[in-house]
Amino acid sequence: MRWIKWFATCVVSIASLVATPVMSNDVPAIAAASNIKFALDEIASQFTQDTGERVRISYGSSGNFVAQIKHGAPFQLFLSADEKYIYQLSQSKAISDEGVRYAVGRLAIAAPNYSPLKLDAELEGVKTLLKSGDLQRFAIANPDHAPYGERAQEVLESLGLWDSIQPKLIFGENVSQAAQFAVSGSTQGGLIALSLAIAPQFKKMGHYVVIPEELHTPLNQRMVLTPKAGETAKHFYRYIQSDSARKIFSDFGFGLPQVEKEADKTADIGH
């Protein structure tokens, strides 16, 4: 009897050891632009409720994720804030297709509730503080690797403010960090993602005004599966394109692209 019990215990132990890596593979690592954090967290929560499957999401700047994926990072799905980064991965053969657009981003100017900066769509309040010498610090994401930082620079250039405001700029490593700078009081305001500005976590600390889309090139946000993608990642990829997920993106201020057909997926190669 003792031998039988010992043998049964060994079988159970070996089975659990074998099952462990399978379970870890069923929780895919997802790389996502920080501007979609609140929307994607809600989508992922709903995905788990609906399917019982889970994902593990890392948020950061799109440009940094591209470098990581090229160097073999174990991400199974990448949601970029700018589709140009997807095309870069495709051209380097790190992925096999260009994926699909999942949202269109918007910019907002935001400031803490007690900031002297008056907010408006044409940044007249910024110009006023610059002229009076009262603008000390203004936040944007780093334009070198964050799409929302690139578009913030375009807005400032379009309005003739880039040269004069550069000494006042505080760069966030990504747009989420820039949003923290913009509304926490460490700066007098900043240009951030609308999706973050309207999130309850940020909205309670400050206020915002939406920036006109014509002041910058479009923020077409695209996602793609990597060659490492397993079934759960593929399922989540499809789920993000569902009506329920698209509604969540819309609730967070994103524009919704038309659902792409297979023939459309390669239409923008090289842009």
Side-chain angles (χ1 to χ4, degrees), residues 66-263:
V66 167
Q68 292 174 35
I69 292 170
K70 286 181 177 179
H71 286 87
F75 297 119
Q76 298 186 31
L77 171 62
F78 172 39
L79 294 96
S80 176
D82 188 340
E83 61 188 358
K84 76 173 186 178
Y85 290 107
I86 301 296
Y87 298 142
Q88 287 179 13
L89 286 173
S90 176
Q91 290 163 2
S92 68
K93 307 301 182 183
I95 54 176
S96 58
D97 65 71
E98 287 76 33
V100 295
R101 289 177 185 164
Y102 63 91
V104 179
R106 297 293 304 275
L107 277 169
I109 181 171
N113 290 321
Y114 52 83
S115 174
L117 177 61
K118 293 183 179 180
L119 302 185
D120 63 278
E122 299 296 326
L123 305 192
E124 292 296 333
V126 175
K127 294 176 184 177
T128 298
L129 283 190
L130 274 172
K131 289 179 181 178
S132 66
D134 293 325
L135 185 67
Q136 302 302 317
R137 292 178 297 277
F138 191 81
I140 67 171
N142 192 325
D144 290 340
H145 52 248
Y148 278 80
E150 294 178 28
R151 300 313 193 278
Q153 179 175 341
E154 289 179 9
V155 170
L156 294 168
E157 288 174 340
S158 296
L159 297 174
L161 290 168
W162 180 246
D163 291 338
S164 58
I165 204 172
Q166 282 192 66
K168 312 295 183 181
L169 292 179
I170 303 296
F171 291 147
E173 179 66 15
N174 52 60
V175 73
S176 181
Q177 188 178 63
Q180 292 171 15
F181 292 158
V183 300
S184 67
S186 57
T187 69
Q188 290 156 299
L191 286 170
I192 65 173
L194 173 61
S195 58
L196 299 178
I198 67 178
Q201 294 88 333
F202 286 91
K203 191 175 181 180
K204 65 184 179 182
M205 295 188 290
H207 53 295
Y208 69 90
V209 169
V210 181
I211 297 297
E213 291 179 283
E214 58 266 22
L215 292 179
H216 61 83
T217 54
L219 275 159
N220 293 321
Q221 304 201 188
R222 185 172 285 265
M223 63 178 176
V224 69
L225 291 163
T226 75
K228 296 179 172 66
E231 288 306 311
T232 299
K234 292 175 182 177
H235 192 184
F236 189 51
Y237 175 77
R238 294 191 295 270
Y239 191 87
I240 293 170
Q241 300 173 63
S242 68
D243 289 341
S244 60
R246 284 165 62 87
K247 182 182 183 304
I248 292 172
F249 278 124
S250 179
D251 289 344
F252 277 89
F254 290 98
L256 297 178
Q258 290 186 344
V259 177
E260 294 186 31
K261 300 177 182 178
E262 291 297 319

